[in-house]
Amino acid sequence: LQLLFTMPSPDVFSFGSAISACTQQSLWRFSLQLLASMPRGVPPNVVTYTAAISACHNVSEWKVALHLLHEMSLKEVSPNTATYNSAIAACHDAGRWPQALQLLSLMRATEVPPDVSSYSAAISSCHWRGALALLKDMQSAEVPPNVSSYRGVLDASLAAEQFNLAPPLFANVAAVEAELAALPRKK
């Protein structure tokens, strides 16, 4: 961090790298301070915001993550899938499923394509009906579910004692795991 502030004119890439480094070290407050301290001539971009939101996710600071997402819209910085995924994951980790679902809806409304991580985090934060509806929505959107997606629905179903849903979900988990096992391994 000392290097950043001793540079004659740090750019957005320097700040993005510093914020990401703080995020990786779970220094979320430093990430936010760096974001806030960016000079007027170096406006934050999607990378700097996403790194700061990711830092919030790492410590379940869902309110701060949502505040940063809102701030992005005020500054006309468009979030991408990774930005939303970090915010959805922050809401998921904090047990804030309504906010996670709102973010998934906002992604679709702003034409930011949700991916398997977007859906899986939202699925894992829902009750069984919501989780099952998201799984169907995911398949309709042609986003192939992964093990985490199916396990999220399975966990929600079992928690609600919807045992009749378990066999097909177990079969889907097994099928995805078999596909993964059949992939060539890196040496």
Side-chain angles (χ1 to χ4, degrees):
L1 292 178
Q2 286 178 331
L3 178 63
L4 179 68
F5 291 107
T6 59
M7 293 175 77
S9 54
D11 59 11
V12 70
F13 302 107
S14 304
F15 274 94
S17 296
I19 293 169
S20 293
C22 289
T23 298
Q24 291 172 357
Q25 296 300 313
S26 299
L27 301 170
W28 71 280
R29 291 178 197 257
F30 284 120
S31 293
L32 298 179
Q33 287 173 354
L34 284 170
L35 184 68
S37 70
M38 291 179 72
R40 185 177 302 272
V42 183
N45 65 11
V46 67
V47 174
T48 55
Y49 272 110
T50 300
I53 290 170
S54 182
C56 294
H57 160 234
N58 291 345
V59 293
S60 298
E61 287 288 337
W62 67 276
K63 287 181 182 177
V64 179
L66 294 183
H67 171 77
L68 291 173
L69 200 57
H70 178 70
E71 184 179 297
M72 287 179 76
S73 67
L74 296 176
K75 293 191 177 184
E76 298 181 0
V77 177
S78 299
N80 61 20
T81 302
T83 312
Y84 279 110
N85 285 355
S86 291
I88 291 170
C91 292
H92 163 265
D93 290 354
R96 306 302 300 190
W97 64 268
Q99 288 79 4
L101 293 179
Q102 285 175 340
L103 290 172
L104 191 62
S105 292
L106 185 59
M107 286 180 82
R108 291 186 292 240
T110 57
E111 298 181 7
V112 175
D115 64 10
V116 68
S117 296
S118 316
Y119 279 105
S120 295
I123 284 170
S124 295
S125 63
C126 288
H127 56 80
W128 74 273
R129 282 190 179 108
L132 198 55
L134 283 174
L135 182 65
K136 289 178 183 175
D137 183 51
M138 183 179 193
Q139 293 165 328
S140 298
E142 298 181 5
V143 176
N146 63 10
V147 171
S148 180
S149 311
Y150 287 119
R151 285 200 175 144
V153 177
L154 183 60
D155 290 346
S157 300
L158 294 176
E161 299 183 2
Q162 296 296 315
F163 302 117
N164 58 320
L165 298 175
L169 292 170
F170 275 124
N172 287 327
V173 169
V176 171
E177 286 178 339
E179 285 178 28
L180 291 172
L183 293 174
R185 305 245 181 222
K186 291 183 180 178
K187 292 184 181 185

